[in-house]
Amino acid sequence: MLKGSLLVAQGGGPTAVINQSLVGVITAAMEYDCVDKIYGSFHGVEGIKNGRLAYISEVSRDNLEKVARTTGSGMLSTRVRPDAEYCKAMFENMKKLNIRYFFYIGGNDSSDTVRIVSEYAASEGYDLRAVHIPKTIDNDLVLSDHTPGYGSAARYVAYAFMGADFDNRSLAGVYIGVIMGRHAGFLTGAAALGRADKDAGPHLLYFPEKAFDLEKFSKDVKECYDRYGRCVIAVSEGIVDADGTPIVTKMMAESEKDQHGNVQLSGTGALGDFLANYIKQTLGISRVRADTLGYMQRSFPAAVSNVDAEEARRSGAFGVKMACEEQVSGKDKNAFSVGIRRVSDEPYQVEFFTVNISDIAAKTRLMPDEYINKEANNVTEEFLKYATPLLGEGFEKGTALVVPEISL
Amino acid sequence: MLKGSLLVAQGGGPTAVINQSLVGVITAAMEYDCVDKIYGSFHGVEGIKNGRLAYISEVSRDNLEKVARTTGSGMLSTRVRPDAEYCKAMFENMKKLNIRYFFYIGGNDSSDTVRIVSEYAASEGYDLRAVHIPKTIDNDLVLSDHTPGYGSAARYVAYAFMGADFDNRSLAGVYIGVIMGRHAGFLTGAAALGRADKDAGPHLLYFPEKAFDLEKFSKDVKECYDRYGRCVIAVSEGIVDADGTPIVTKMMAESEKDQHGNVQLSGTGALGDFLANYIKQTLGISRVRADTLGYMQRSFPAAVSNVDAEEARRSGAFGVKMACEEQVSGKDKNAFSVGIRRVSDEPYQVEFFTVNISDIAAKTRLMPDEYINKEANNVTEEFLKYATPLLGEGFEKGTALVVPEISL
């Protein structure tokens, strides 16, 4: 059995339940003899390189449980992608503390960081278990039924559209809500999970998986508006044209990119405003409003799915168990990720499994075709069945007034 | 005692609890003999003019209770301001149904509609009790301690900034959140109610009551960023320059106005994007993000304050009681609004009272000076004390990891 200290850190955009995974790793690590001391690194790999670490073994259980219920990344985060030189500096510090277990909680970019760190360790002949604990609101990690972080973001988006839909009934017009999701439309699809009745919006949904055509969009909106006297639309921030160019980049003079080469899509209202103006101009509808749902999707504290929170916690604990009990065999034991498999729909039940890191690193899962309708402007029943259990307990839908109408 | 039918309708932007007031009016009206039948009008005064009404006496109690818990305006809404000709058409229909009690749930524009309708009735010699039931997320109605709708919007905003602040700690930078509020900064102030600890944002807040200066703004942000390595900012959509011109109108080619003369401020990300770009350019900070909080502020179903919901319900019921028991004297009895007075801070307790309609109609209450700090970029302790009880029960703050830091 490999003995040594464990270091845990978080990478990429936070989620509402990423701290559940952090606490899941920590509390499980406290149970295993193979783990000597537990350290955390501030701002992901940055803290390891810069020697800014936290001695986590001494954190109180009460504080840990409160942090678990807090959104954001408790150990802070980074978007840095380490290269060989960066790894060299990291390993100098890791060796000082005899770190033998490296846990990194993040999305597909972070899984790639785990691969890089693991390969560097191998090249140095340094025995290290590098474990990726998944999180992403985008739900775009491959091989898993879904990813921790998605359920809570989906619950927020479902509630947001339920509220926006009742608002739009009150003051009729066109409402466009722009939703996070660079390549995958799962979170955009979640807008449909709060539909309260057959007239409820979102009436139209647009996903990054399908080419977005402005003229078709305008035609769809007109049909919807003619039918309902209003139209609620969910649009992914990542929609692209037929050439695969993001619509948002067409409108921005300068695009900002991170080290993973990702263009900035969030934190700007440009796409929503552009689409709203386009509808105003082409259809002559006066009341057209656009919201960009923004960072609340991944950080709102009051829309956490209990199913999501529990799975995030268990993912972290499962990773520690697999590493410490050496249940992962072959080359995979040095670097693996945690996957979720759905065992049953009713009752909803999952189990965890390990994934070889090279099978997940930097890969992106898209919405399968059976979740998007043929017109490419709505989700299917299959999607609703898939995603609804992830919202967790106590998700209550609104109710319209059922009242006899009289005409004078 | 005046006997006849009661008509209830809703005007202006919906809130998360406006249906509590609707159901409060309806269920109270069912108890009084002076009320013959209960009608609702679809889309506020529009339904009265067009003869599109609902026979509410027959609605099931179960449906009413579910509608009460649903955001948006159950009877739908309008922004129409009736003139004499409009009133003439309305009264033709109201006479057909012998409407003697007119209840209108809305903000300051709606209180003005109640005044207009009441004055028209008087000019016609038609005996009518016109009652305004207050709602507004802006909290800008005069003479009341606060207004139904504000507490739930404040809870949403407080949670949103709490989450955004933990997100901003994770990935440091400048975060700007733009908050609803045309003239009053109460809702912007609510962003401070979720501060989890002494380092927590929002670190800077800007209100429509105080002239906004771009250079001062940039200086404030620099100071904050130098101190915390990050900066979370709450900005009211209604901020104006020294001349009183809204900052947002400077950036929009065409401004949209409603019949009350209000410029469209919401449903666009223009102000947030403008401020973010300004900070990027003047301070050279690379990670600057702006969210415009949007319609969720008034419609999110999962951040309702139980205090707010209960007061909204009681406001509606109180209006009916005052009208039917003829407890309002003099000229005021024909047209009044309902006010809320705070009787005690600990325990938090309120009582309701009537307000002469001409004392409230179309008037706007602003944040008092003692709620804004001298620098005009933060709220005071007095504001926190004032607003916190309105968030309701179960408002839980997040917790940062308390951990010994080690440097290598």
Side-chain angles (χ1 to χ4, degrees):
Chain A
M1 189 202 290
L2 180 64
K3 282 199 70 153
S5 289
L6 181 147
L7 187 147
V8 61
Q10 296 165 306
T15 76
V17 298
I18 189 171
N19 287 339
Q20 291 284 1
S21 294
L22 177 71
V23 174
V25 168
I26 293 168
T27 52
M30 287 170 171
E31 304 295 316
Y32 281 95
D33 288 340
C34 61
V35 176
D36 183 13
K37 290 176 176 168
I38 304 170
Y39 296 96
S41 164
F42 292 105
H43 289 293
V45 291
E46 289 183 55
I48 310 176
K49 174 172 176 276
N50 305 331
R52 274 200 64 215
L53 302 170
Y55 184 42
I56 286 190
S57 299
E58 287 190 357
V59 176
S60 80
R61 186 74 190 220
D62 174 64
N63 184 235
L64 283 179
E65 289 302 331
K66 283 178 179 161
V67 169
R69 293 196 301 274
T70 301
T71 64
S73 302
M75 280 307 305
L76 314 182
S77 195
T78 183
R79 293 209 183 269
V80 165
R81 184 178 192 270
D83 57 16
E85 194 184 352
Y86 205 100
C87 283
K88 187 163 179 272
M90 284 171 63
F91 274 81
E92 277 172 22
N93 285 325
M94 284 166 71
K95 285 172 186 169
K96 283 182 199 163
L97 299 171
N98 192 34
I99 302 297
R100 297 292 171 176
Y101 295 91
F102 170 66
F103 278 72
Y104 211 48
I105 310 166
N108 32 26
D109 290 331
S110 297
S111 66
D112 201 36
T113 294
V114 171
R115 179 191 61 77
I116 291 167
V117 167
S118 175
E119 287 177 0
Y120 189 89
S123 75
E124 291 274 296
Y126 183 82
D127 203 1
L128 180 79
R129 305 281 180 273
V131 183
H132 170 245
I133 305 298
K135 76 81 212 164
T136 160
I137 63 165
D138 293 344
N139 203 35
D140 61 352
L141 296 184
V142 296
L143 302 173
S144 268
D145 179 75
H146 60 279
T147 312
Y150 173 65
S152 298
R155 189 175 172 112
Y156 177 86
V157 169
Y159 270 138
F161 270 81
M162 187 201 300
D165 186 62
F166 279 107
D167 195 279
N168 183 261
R169 296 177 198 216
S170 309
L171 292 168
V174 173
Y175 176 83
I176 300 167
V178 178
I179 300 169
M180 283 182 169
R182 188 173 298 279
H183 301 295
F186 292 100
L187 193 55
T188 299
L193 301 176
R195 284 179 187 150
D197 53 43
K198 68 178 176 43
D199 292 335
H203 308 97
L204 297 169
L205 299 93
Y206 297 95
F207 309 97
E209 286 85 353
K210 303 288 176 184
F212 182 84
D213 180 81
L214 272 171
E215 285 181 26
K216 171 69 163 58
F217 171 62
S218 177
K219 192 169 152 285
D220 286 353
V221 175
K222 186 176 184 317
E223 268 180 36
C224 173
Y225 195 78
D226 288 347
R227 178 170 175 189
Y228 295 103
R230 65 190 191 92
C231 193
V232 174
I233 306 158
V235 178
S236 169
E237 65 181 9
I239 51 168
V240 295
D241 66 15
D243 300 329
T245 309
I247 305 294
V248 69
T249 57
K250 294 186 167 180
M251 298 138 1
M252 294 175 75
E254 288 177 43
S255 297
E256 191 181 309
K257 284 190 186 179
D258 71 9
Q259 289 191 358
H260 300 277
N262 301 316
V263 175
Q264 184 204 338
L265 297 178
S266 303
T268 159
L271 179 61
D273 290 352
F274 169 75
L275 295 175
N277 286 330
Y278 183 80
I279 290 299
K280 273 189 196 181
Q281 283 162 17
T282 55
L283 299 184
I285 298 170
S286 60
R287 190 166 193 278
V288 184
R289 300 287 184 267
D291 275 340
T292 304
L293 271 64
Y295 290 95
M296 282 83 238
Q297 293 166 91
R298 68 187 199 196
S299 67
F300 197 75
V304 173
S305 155
N306 68 319
V307 167
D308 189 30
E310 189 195 317
E311 290 178 355
R313 175 78 76 118
R314 287 174 64 195
S315 296
F318 181 82
V320 173
K321 180 180 161 74
M322 291 299 106
C324 287
E325 296 183 0
E326 302 201 316
Q327 292 195 24
V328 187
S329 59
K331 73 175 168 60
D332 297 5
K333 78 171 181 191
N334 289 325
F336 65 88
S337 179
V338 172
I340 297 179
R341 184 182 296 127
R342 193 180 304 210
V343 182
S344 135
D345 269 316
E346 286 181 41
Y348 170 80
Q349 259 180 318
V350 298
E351 63 183 21
F352 297 86
F353 63 101
T354 59
V355 177
N356 183 0
I357 201 71
S358 60
D359 293 337
I360 180 175
K363 291 189 168 63
T364 300
R365 174 194 184 203
L366 303 180
M367 284 260 275
D369 275 347
E370 63 262 33
Y371 289 173
I372 302 176
N373 73 343
K374 281 196 178 149
E375 284 275 293
N377 60 13
N378 212 330
V379 290
T380 59
E381 283 299 320
E382 287 93 321
F383 173 78
L384 301 177
K385 190 182 165 205
Y386 160 77
T388 297
L390 311 180
L391 299 179
E393 292 167 10
F395 182 83
E396 201 185 340
K397 290 189 182 181
T399 303
L401 199 65
V402 180
V403 62
E405 187 172 338
I406 50 173
S407 285
L408 294 177
Chain B
M1 189 203 286
L2 180 63
K3 283 199 72 155
S5 290
L6 180 146
L7 187 148
V8 63
Q10 295 166 306
T15 75
V17 298
I18 189 171
N19 287 340
Q20 291 284 1
S21 294
L22 177 71
V23 174
V25 168
I26 293 167
T27 52
M30 287 171 170
E31 304 294 316
Y32 282 94
D33 288 340
C34 61
V35 177
D36 184 13
K37 290 174 174 167
I38 304 169
Y39 296 97
S41 164
F42 291 105
H43 288 295
V45 291
E46 289 183 55
I48 310 175
K49 174 172 174 277
N50 305 331
R52 275 201 64 212
L53 302 170
Y55 185 42
I56 286 190
S57 298
E58 288 189 355
V59 177
S60 79
R61 187 73 190 220
D62 175 64
N63 183 234
L64 283 178
E65 289 303 331
K66 284 178 178 159
V67 169
R69 292 197 301 274
T70 301
T71 64
S73 302
M75 281 306 306
L76 314 183
S77 194
T78 182
R79 294 210 182 268
V80 166
R81 184 179 193 268
D83 58 14
E85 195 185 351
Y86 205 99
C87 284
K88 187 162 177 272
M90 284 170 63
F91 274 80
E92 276 171 22
N93 285 327
M94 285 166 72
K95 283 172 186 169
K96 282 182 199 164
L97 299 172
N98 192 34
I99 303 297
R100 296 295 171 173
Y101 295 91
F102 169 66
F103 278 72
Y104 211 49
I105 310 165
N108 33 26
D109 290 332
S110 297
S111 66
D112 201 36
T113 294
V114 171
R115 180 191 60 76
I116 291 167
V117 168
S118 175
E119 286 176 2
Y120 189 88
S123 75
E124 291 273 297
Y126 182 83
D127 205 0
L128 180 79
R129 304 284 180 272
V131 182
H132 170 246
I133 305 297
K135 77 82 212 163
T136 160
I137 64 165
D138 293 344
N139 203 35
D140 62 351
L141 296 183
V142 296
L143 301 173
S144 268
D145 179 76
H146 60 279
T147 311
Y150 173 65
S152 298
R155 188 175 171 112
Y156 177 86
V157 169
Y159 269 138
F161 270 81
M162 187 201 299
D165 186 61
F166 279 107
D167 194 279
N168 184 260
R169 296 179 197 215
S170 309
L171 291 168
V174 173
Y175 175 83
I176 300 167
V178 178
I179 300 169
M180 283 182 170
R182 188 172 297 279
H183 300 295
F186 292 101
L187 193 55
T188 299
L193 300 176
R195 283 179 187 150
D197 52 44
K198 68 176 177 38
D199 292 335
H203 309 97
L204 297 169
L205 299 92
Y206 297 95
F207 309 96
E209 286 85 353
K210 304 288 176 185
F212 182 84
D213 180 80
L214 271 171
E215 285 181 26
K216 170 70 161 57
F217 171 62
S218 177
K219 192 169 152 285
D220 287 352
V221 175
K222 186 179 184 317
E223 269 180 35
C224 173
Y225 196 79
D226 288 346
R227 179 170 174 191
Y228 296 102
R230 65 190 191 94
C231 192
V232 174
I233 306 159
V235 178
S236 170
E237 65 180 10
I239 51 168
V240 295
D241 66 14
D243 300 329
T245 309
I247 305 294
V248 69
T249 58
K250 294 185 167 181
M251 295 139 0
M252 294 176 74
E254 287 176 44
S255 296
E256 191 179 310
K257 284 189 185 179
D258 70 9
Q259 289 192 0
H260 299 276
N262 301 317
V263 175
Q264 184 205 338
L265 297 179
S266 303
T268 159
L271 179 60
D273 289 351
F274 170 76
L275 295 175
N277 286 331
Y278 184 80
I279 290 299
K280 273 189 195 181
Q281 284 162 17
T282 56
L283 300 184
I285 299 169
S286 60
R287 191 168 192 277
V288 184
R289 300 287 184 265
D291 274 340
T292 303
L293 270 63
Y295 289 94
M296 282 83 239
Q297 293 166 90
R298 68 188 199 198
S299 67
F300 198 75
V304 173
S305 155
N306 67 319
V307 167
D308 189 31
E310 189 194 318
E311 290 178 355
R313 176 78 76 115
R314 287 173 64 195
S315 296
F318 181 82
V320 173
K321 179 180 160 78
M322 291 299 106
C324 287
E325 296 183 359
E326 301 202 316
Q327 292 195 23
V328 188
S329 59
K331 72 173 168 62
D332 297 4
K333 79 170 181 192
N334 290 325
F336 65 87
S337 180
V338 171
I340 296 178
R341 185 182 294 129
R342 192 179 305 209
V343 183
S344 137
D345 268 317
E346 287 182 40
Y348 169 79
Q349 259 181 317
V350 297
E351 63 183 19
F352 297 86
F353 63 100
T354 60
V355 177
N356 183 0
I357 200 71
S358 59
D359 293 337
I360 180 175
K363 290 188 167 65
T364 300
R365 176 195 183 201
L366 302 181
M367 284 262 275
D369 276 347
E370 63 263 33
Y371 288 172
I372 303 176
N373 73 342
K374 279 194 179 153
E375 284 276 295
N377 61 12
N378 212 330
V379 290
T380 60
E381 282 299 320
E382 287 94 320
F383 173 78
L384 300 177
K385 190 181 165 203
Y386 160 77
T388 296
L390 310 181
L391 298 179
E393 293 166 10
F395 182 82
E396 201 187 340
K397 291 189 181 181
T399 302
L401 199 65
V402 181
V403 62
E405 188 172 337
I406 51 174
S407 285
L408 294 179

